[in-house]
Amino acid sequence: MLSVEELKRLVGNEVGVSSWYPVDQARIDAFADVTEDHQFIHIDPEKASQTPFGGTIAHGFLTLSLLSAMALEAQPRVAEARMGINYGFDRVRFLHPVKAGQKVRGRFVLSSVAEAKPGEVDLNWQATVEIDGEKRPALKAAWLNRFYLAESGERQTAC
């Protein structure tokens, strides 16, 4: 865990890289079911084999959603935080498809640390999702997290 002051000193630096996450057909199919996005390019290997991708690809939003797990693993925790939330994205670009069977991982550069108002701190991340064996990343995003800080003596939980 790092204090807000320690995090401020890390602005501009890569602070974490996650492990590799498999993106197999079962994960893609489950995501299609949850989101009700059953486009053939994601769920029909035979039909998708006739496309320029040569097979099924993950939904861009599936790749984006994996950032949460990657961040829990790779980003430092805010020592003073009692709670953290996903505050949104300023920019997201899907740069390269993730083919079924590939692995992805997240890289996180801390772009800024700012006090939103007393007791609230925003961390802005440049997040990149790499694809194992590919030169181009799957996506790049400017991602904002908000942390609500504990008051003196308040019990803290890991965020």
Side-chain angles (χ1 to χ4, degrees), residues 60-142:
F61 286 130
L62 167 55
T63 307
L64 184 68
S65 72
L66 290 172
L67 279 176
S68 292
M70 294 171 183
L72 282 173
E73 178 185 346
Q75 291 176 351
R77 303 289 162 255
V78 180
E80 300 93 343
R82 63 180 166 88
M83 180 178 70
I85 62 168
N86 175 1
Y87 199 58
F89 294 88
D90 286 335
R91 181 178 171 94
V92 176
R93 292 293 180 262
F94 300 108
L95 302 171
H96 194 74
V98 177
K99 296 177 183 178
Q102 290 187 303
K103 295 183 290 185
V104 295
R105 71 176 174 190
R107 291 179 124 16
F108 300 93
V109 173
L110 185 57
S111 298
S112 67
V113 177
E115 185 175 27
K117 63 183 181 182
E120 296 179 13
V121 174
D122 291 341
L123 274 60
N124 196 322
W125 302 93
Q126 290 302 314
T128 302
V129 175
E130 300 175 322
I131 307 167
D132 191 21
E134 299 284 350
K135 290 182 181 181
R136 294 186 66 202
L139 70 82
K140 288 190 176 233

Side-chain angles (χ1 to χ4, degrees), residues 9-64:
R9 291 193 289 273
L10 294 176
V11 169
N13 293 298
E14 181 175 271
V15 297
V17 179
S18 76
S19 60
W20 292 103
Y21 287 73
V23 182
D24 57 17
Q25 191 61 51
R27 177 172 267 178
I28 294 169
D29 291 344
F31 190 84
D33 288 342
V34 167
T35 60
E36 298 186 22
D37 180 353
H38 294 96
Q39 185 183 23
F40 80 92
I41 195 66
H42 305 301
I43 62 164
D44 187 338
E46 186 176 320
K47 194 171 179 184
S49 71
Q50 304 305 310
T51 70
F53 303 118
T56 55
I57 59 171
H59 305 71
F61 286 130
L62 167 55
T63 307
L64 184 68

Side-chain angles (χ1 to χ4, degrees), residues 1 78-84 148-159:
M1 283 202 227
V78 180
E80 300 93 343
R82 63 180 166 88
M83 180 178 70
Y148 297 88
L149 304 181
E151 296 180 24
S152 296
E154 185 177 358
R155 191 169 179 3
Q156 299 171 19
T157 58
C159 292

